[in-house]
Amino acid sequence: KLYIHSHSLEMFLRIQYVFLHHMCVPPLKFNNCAGNKGVRYETNSLDFKVRADGTVYAAHHVQMPSKQLILMVTAWDPQTLGRWEAIVRLLVAEKSVYAKKPPKPNNIQFNHQSANGLRRQKRDWVIPPINVPENSRGPFPQQLVRIRSDKDKEIHIRYSITGVGADQPPMEVFSIDPVSGRMYVTRPMDREERASYHLRAHAVDMNGNKVENPIDLYIYVIDMNDNRPEFINQVYNGSVDEGSKPGTYVMTVTANDADDSTTANGMVRYRIVTQTPQSPSQNMFTINSETGDIVTVAAGLDREKVQQYIVIVQATDMEGNLNYGLSNTATAIITVTDVNDNPPEFTTSTYSGEVPENRVEVVVANLTVMDRDQPHSPNWNAIYRIISGDPSGHFTIRTDPVTNEGMVTVVKAVDYEMNRAFMLTVMVSNQAPLASGIQMSFQSTAGVTISVTDVNEAPYFPTNHKLIRLEEGVPTGTVLTTFSAVDPDRFMQQAVRYSKLSDPANWLNINATNGQITTAAVLDRESDYIKNNVYEATFLAADNGIPPASGTGTLQIYLIDINDNAPELLPKEAQICEKPNLNVINITAADADIDPNVGPFVFELPSVPSAVRKNWTITRLNGDYAQLSLRVMYLEAGVYDVPIIVTDSGNPPLYNTSVIKVKVCPCDENGDCTTIGAVAAAGLGTGAIIAILICIIILLTMVLLFVVWMKRREKERHTKQLLIDPEDDVRDNILKYDEEGGGEEDQDYDLSQLQQPETMDHVLNKTPGVRRVDERPIGAEPQYPIRPVIPHPGDIGDFINEGLRAADNDPTAPPYDSLLVFDYEGSGSTAGSVSSLNSSSSGDQDYDYLNDWGPRFKKLADMYGGGEED
């Protein structure tokens, strides 16, 4: 057992009873092991060291955080390369511990209380932990320690243990001999399953009374290197830019070891096993042995040469000792990412193309480039620019996204007469800037020669639209202007011919040779073809080239107004009272001309006939309006034509005599014409008015009589309605079939019974018997009671009874075809037939009960029960 005072500035001790299963036979010290004087010692702690003689000491002042400290001591022989390890647990104790004599090794003794049972106790011994190596091969059970009480000499004591591994799951990992107190482990331990156990040892007498206080037992499973390191992933993916400097971080690989990480068993170290390909060097990468970080170690990464490296990484425990450690491997795939370290270069220094003049969106040349960077990336995508040779911006260069070629495209039409050829200087670059230290290549520029071909261009009118001004009404044949076109093909000898394309009013002519415009009719500003005083015509100019080309021009003629339209009086009709009052007629005038050839207007009455000025007068309101009123005190109702002279203000002025129809009528007190007065004013006399009223009255009377007649007819139709609806008449459902003869034995019967009777006399006069009637008999119909239009509830029963009596006495009432006659079936049938019933056996039947069913069934009783054969 080892004890360390917690306040020692320098602690040392001799290690005994250690390395029991590793390098020495107990009890030996480190320096007595196998008589080897050259053994060296190391620890995994910076606070404690081991001298050459095996003494463990504190390297400096140590503050112990807990009551125990676990150290791993490694001993190795440089001559034989032997290596051994052991676990040392240092326990922290008080100074008084040194005054006590510790018990013998592997024996744990209970401390007892004083005999008088006082609570005062001796200080308990600090029980050191019990170490059990994992994966032990036995034999089992294997003794670990013996527990005894100093009272075992006085009384018989029984020992037991409790806790996880004893009486708690996992059960019976540890056991104890209840008499001797020897504690055993019953099976191999696995530290990765459980690293420690906490048990309590109990001592009781034979009656189960507690003899000693329980003792805590700590059992630690000593780790063995029985687990390989395991990588988190079997394949790791990382990337690094090409051209990266040595020391550039790439990725991190991680492996975990289930063994104790505080010992060499769980301390993993990494190394690179292989690198594929080994270009440009076999050691392009290195790995941090402790952290697993992979970094570049050499320069020369070039994606254009090697795009990917496959690196096999090995993880080994025992701090990377390949002789004793366990290993595992994983694959690291390192992708070399592209940087723009290759400028694009033209495949040739000059390009050429050809384009017709006046064409746009035409590709005239394709520029090809080469770029070794990753395709379809910003480091590869090309951008083209025109440096010189196109000051007017006729061309642009677009990039084909698939081939990366530059397409020289015309975006502004070129003119052969202005430029017959273009010499362009173009430059190519990438979307991404070049990497640091990379210069643009001289092959990144090239020349493009574009030839322009001449085509026949259409003539054009220099002034389009052309506007001229003249007065309306110029005579036919007047020369207005010369509307000539220009042919842009200066290097072609071509003639231009002119023609009309659009002349809505057909007012103009054009000279086909020189484009002179003359009038073909009088131009009228007031025509419907004039919009805002402008007349518009379109002309065509065509050359004689191959193929011919033509252009259009628009001529606009602004017509200046002249006073060529006399004013017109408005309104054309009016109404006024027969007696003068405030009821007057407001009149004005309309003139098709425009200012100054319109108002103010002059309104006046003519002197002839004299009755006009005698009966009417005009009062001027302003330059555009006047009032017409009666001059006399009374004027007979009627329609009067009043002439009025209207004169405009043109130079020279024009006048017009217009007639206004005035209806003079009687008015009420409000000054409005009455209805009769309006009719009278329309020119109808009293007799005509009375005739119109009489016609209206006669028409209304006829309509009323027609309505009454329809109502009465509808009433009669309801009154004569039959008891049985025609749609329900059973006669409509009777079918007539062809007659078929029987065999030799069924020919003896009278077919006349089945024939359709032509008259009803033989039916009505026939003696009682069987008969067949397929149609309604023709005869006198009995009188059925008439259904009242609005029957009284008490009359319903009488009405039904009367109808029933009438139907019973009516031989023609349906069902008149209910009795069917079947064909003769022969005398040999045992079943008989209707004929046999009638001739042989029916005479014996009693049909008198049919008399109780009514008159119609009484006939049947007479037919079948009367004793006569049919």
Side-chain angles (χ1 to χ4, degrees):
K1 296 183 184 298
L2 309 177
Y3 302 93
I4 301 176
H5 194 274
S6 61
H7 301 287
S8 299
L9 295 178
E10 181 179 7
M11 298 178 289
F12 64 92
L13 59 128
R14 299 284 183 174
I15 300 180
Q16 299 178 354
Y17 313 112
V18 294
F19 301 109
L20 300 180
H21 303 284
H22 293 277
M23 65 176 291
C24 301
V25 178
L28 297 175
K29 299 179 182 179
F30 284 158
N31 54 1
N32 291 332
C33 188
N36 196 338
K37 302 299 183 180
V39 176
R40 299 180 182 180
Y41 306 97
E42 294 179 353
T43 66
N44 63 346
S45 174
L46 299 177
D47 297 330
F48 297 93
K49 302 296 181 182
V50 181
R51 294 191 178 95
D53 60 354
T55 302
V56 179
Y57 65 96
H60 53 81
H61 179 73
V62 178
Q63 291 291 337
M64 303 301 293
S66 60
K67 293 184 178 181
Q68 64 176 346
L69 178 66
I70 301 175
L71 299 178
M72 170 64 70
V73 179
T74 304
W76 58 282
D77 188 347
Q79 296 180 1
T80 62
L81 298 180
R83 189 181 184 91
W84 303 268
E85 293 181 348
I87 300 295
V88 178
R89 300 186 186 275
L90 305 181
L91 303 179
V92 180
E94 300 294 336
K95 291 182 178 180
S96 58
V97 173
Y98 294 99
K100 295 181 179 290
K101 181 179 180 181
K104 296 180 180 180
N106 294 337
N107 287 280
I108 300 176
Q109 184 174 355
F110 286 93
N111 296 319
H112 58 275
Q113 298 177 350
S114 59
N116 55 13
L118 297 177
R119 292 183 178 275
R120 182 176 179 273
Q121 302 178 11
K122 294 183 179 180
R123 187 178 300 273
D124 289 342
W125 290 98
V126 178
I127 308 302
I130 303 170
N131 298 320
V132 180
E134 67 173 333
N135 302 325
S136 176
R137 297 183 180 180
F140 296 101
Q142 183 179 12
Q143 181 178 343
L144 298 179
V145 71
R146 181 183 178 187
I147 301 173
R148 60 176 295 273
S149 173
D150 54 5
K151 294 183 179 180
D152 59 355
K153 297 180 180 180
E154 302 173 1
I155 60 176
H156 294 287
I157 296 179
R158 291 293 181 265
Y159 302 96
S160 64
I161 55 175
T162 60
V164 176
D167 59 346
Q168 299 178 19
M171 308 285 287
E172 299 179 355
V173 177
F174 303 97
S175 63
I176 189 171
D177 188 325
V179 177
S180 64
R182 291 182 175 86
M183 191 174 72
Y184 302 91
V185 59
T186 62
R187 58 191 180 192
M189 310 295 290
D190 187 359
R191 191 202 67 85
E192 288 71 41
E193 180 180 346
R194 190 176 185 88
S196 64
Y197 297 86
H198 178 203
L199 303 177
R200 304 198 76 181
H202 306 271
V204 297
D205 57 16
M206 300 302 292
N207 296 324
N209 298 319
K210 182 173 68 173
V211 177
E212 303 284 357
N213 289 329
I215 296 177
D216 291 324
L217 301 177
Y218 293 92
I219 302 172
Y220 293 95
V221 182
I222 301 175
D223 183 46
M224 305 294 288
N225 191 18
D226 57 346
N227 291 279
R228 293 179 181 273
E230 296 291 340
F231 283 95
I232 298 177
N233 301 310
Q234 282 301 312
V235 178
Y236 290 84
N237 291 284
S239 62
V240 62
D241 290 340
E242 62 176 332
S244 296
K245 297 179 181 180
T248 303
Y249 172 80
V250 179
M251 66 169 67
T252 299
V253 297
T254 304
N256 297 323
D257 196 317
D259 293 325
D260 190 355
S261 60
T262 62
T263 66
N265 298 334
M267 295 180 181
V268 180
R269 299 294 182 264
Y270 304 93
R271 73 184 187 95
I272 294 177
V273 180
T274 60
Q275 167 196 306
T276 305
Q278 298 180 355
S279 173
S281 172
Q282 62 180 358
N283 295 319
M284 294 298 297
F285 305 96
T286 186
I287 187 170
N288 188 304
S289 61
E290 295 184 0
T291 63
D293 294 339
I294 299 177
V295 297
T296 59
V297 71
L301 290 173
D302 190 352
R303 190 203 65 85
E304 288 70 39
K305 295 180 180 179
V306 179
Q307 298 183 3
Q308 191 179 80
Y309 289 91
I310 298 177
V311 177
I312 304 301
V313 180
Q314 184 183 59
T316 307
D317 58 15
M318 297 301 292
E319 298 182 284
N321 191 320
L322 299 178
N323 294 326
Y324 304 102
L326 302 177
S327 301
N328 213 336
T329 60
T331 302
I333 300 176
I334 302 173
T335 302
V336 181
T337 56
D338 184 50
V339 297
N340 194 12
D341 57 346
N342 294 282
E345 297 178 348
F346 286 104
T347 57
T348 182
S349 60
T350 58
Y351 298 87
S352 61
E354 187 178 77
V355 59
E357 64 175 336
N358 301 323
R359 295 282 300 276
V360 294
E361 297 300 326
V362 177
V363 177
V364 298
N366 288 333
L367 312 180
T368 56
V369 297
M370 181 184 64
D371 196 321
R372 292 187 298 272
D373 289 322
Q374 184 175 357
H376 305 289
S377 68
N379 300 329
W380 179 82
N381 295 336
I383 298 177
Y384 299 88
R385 291 185 298 117
I386 298 176
I387 300 176
S388 62
D390 185 24
S392 300
H394 291 283
F395 304 95
T396 187
I397 305 178
R398 298 166 180 167
T399 304
D400 189 319
V402 178
T403 63
N404 212 29
E405 294 181 354
M407 299 179 293
V408 182
T409 308
V410 181
V411 294
K412 183 179 179 182
V414 295
D415 189 357
Y416 175 81
E417 286 71 28
M418 300 294 296
N419 298 97
R420 298 188 182 184
F422 292 87
M423 299 294 295
L424 307 180
T425 301
V426 298
M427 185 179 69
V428 63
S429 59
N430 294 125
Q431 286 183 353
L434 291 175
S436 177
I438 305 300
Q439 300 296 327
M440 185 68 70
S441 172
F442 71 92
Q443 295 181 352
S444 297
T445 58
V448 182
T449 302
I450 301 176
S451 300
V452 182
T453 58
D454 191 17
V455 297
N456 185 25
E457 299 177 78
Y460 67 93
F461 292 87
T463 55
N464 195 14
H465 302 20
K466 185 176 182 179
L467 178 66
I468 61 174
R469 300 171 63 90
L470 71 154
E471 288 185 351
E472 63 175 328
V474 295
T476 303
T478 302
V479 177
L480 302 182
T481 185
T482 299
F483 197 26
S484 59
V486 176
D487 192 346
D489 295 319
R490 293 177 297 171
F491 302 102
M492 298 181 183
Q493 299 299 325
Q494 299 178 146
V496 179
R497 308 281 298 177
Y498 301 92
S499 61
K500 284 196 304 182
L501 187 63
S502 173
D503 183 11
N506 201 21
W507 285 346
L508 305 175
N509 288 326
I510 186 169
N511 188 294
T513 304
N514 57 16
Q516 188 179 70
I517 307 294
T518 59
T519 59
V522 177
L523 279 63
D524 186 6
R525 191 201 65 84
E526 290 75 32
S527 171
D528 294 336
Y529 298 104
I530 302 298
K531 305 297 180 184
N532 298 324
N533 302 325
V534 175
Y535 180 74
E536 193 171 276
T538 306
F539 299 91
L540 184 69
D543 61 19
N544 58 351
I546 301 174
S550 61
T552 60
T554 301
L555 178 65
Q556 293 178 332
I557 304 174
Y558 185 89
L559 295 177
I560 301 173
D561 184 47
I562 62 174
N563 193 18
D564 58 346
N565 293 280
E568 294 287 338
L569 183 67
L570 295 176
K572 298 296 183 181
E573 295 181 355
Q575 182 175 283
I576 194 171
C577 294
E578 61 186 1
K579 294 182 179 180
N581 53 16
L582 297 179
N583 190 358
V584 296
I585 301 173
N586 292 325
I587 59 176
T588 185
D591 197 326
D593 295 322
I594 60 175
D595 191 67
N597 298 318
V598 288
F601 300 101
V602 176
F603 303 91
E604 56 184 346
L605 297 173
S607 58
V608 178
S610 59
V612 175
R613 292 193 174 185
K614 178 182 178 181
N615 296 332
W616 305 92
T617 182
I618 292 178
T619 305
R620 180 184 177 89
L621 296 179
N622 53 38
D624 294 329
Y625 292 92
Q627 287 183 344
L628 177 66
S629 60
L630 288 175
R631 178 186 293 272
V632 296
M633 298 302 297
Y634 172 79
L635 186 63
E636 185 181 358
V639 179
Y640 296 86
D641 292 336
V642 182
I644 299 176
I645 301 173
V646 184
T647 306
D648 61 19
S649 298
N651 186 18
L654 296 179
Y655 69 91
N656 182 31
T657 301
S658 300
V659 177
I660 178 173
K661 289 185 176 294
V662 180
K663 295 180 181 179
V664 179
C665 60
C667 297
D668 54 15
E669 62 275 6
N670 296 325
D672 298 327
C673 285
T674 61
T675 304
I676 298 178
V679 175
L684 298 178
T686 304
I689 295 174
I690 294 174
I692 292 173
L693 293 177
I694 291 174
C695 291
I696 294 174
I697 292 173
I698 292 174
L699 180 62
L700 293 176
T701 303
M702 293 177 65
V703 172
L704 180 62
L705 291 175
F706 179 77
V707 171
V708 171
W709 179 76
M710 292 297 294
K711 290 288 186 179
R712 184 174 181 180
R713 184 177 179 182
E714 181 70 17
K715 180 177 179 181
E716 292 177 354
R717 187 177 67 85
H718 285 290
T719 302
K720 296 181 179 181
Q721 185 176 7
L722 296 176
L723 291 175
I724 299 177
D725 193 82
E727 294 181 1
D728 298 331
D729 196 338
V730 298
R731 290 173 295 175
D732 293 343
N733 299 327
I734 298 177
L735 302 178
K736 294 176 66 177
Y737 297 92
D738 294 337
E739 299 174 354
E740 296 181 0
E744 296 178 356
E745 297 181 356
D746 59 359
Q747 300 296 326
D748 189 13
Y749 60 90
D750 186 7
L751 293 177
S752 62
Q753 300 285 338
L754 304 176
Q755 300 299 325
Q756 175 68 33
E758 296 180 358
T759 62
M760 293 302 300
D761 295 338
H762 67 285
V763 176
L764 298 176
N765 299 326
K766 189 175 181 179
T767 58
V770 178
R771 60 179 175 164
R772 181 185 181 96
V773 181
D774 294 331
E775 295 182 358
R776 182 175 182 178
I778 300 175
E781 296 182 359
Q783 295 296 324
Y784 287 87
I786 298 175
R787 182 186 302 175
V789 178
I790 304 177
H792 189 273
D795 299 334
I796 295 177
D798 297 338
F799 175 79
I800 293 175
N801 293 329
E802 291 177 4
L804 180 60
R805 286 193 297 271
D808 289 338
N809 296 322
D810 183 9
T812 65
Y816 42 79
D817 59 342
S818 299
L819 300 180
L820 301 179
V821 179
F822 296 91
D823 290 342
Y824 179 72
E825 298 179 358
S827 60
S829 174
T830 58
S833 63
V834 175
S835 175
S836 63
L837 289 176
N838 293 335
S839 62
S840 62
S841 61
S842 61
D844 299 331
Q845 299 294 327
D846 185 11
Y847 295 99
D848 293 337
Y849 65 90
L850 294 177
N851 295 325
D852 299 333
W853 290 8
R856 299 178 66 183
F857 292 95
K858 183 178 180 181
K859 296 178 181 179
L860 294 177
D862 296 336
M863 293 172 60
Y864 289 99
E868 298 180 3
E869 296 182 1
D870 191 358

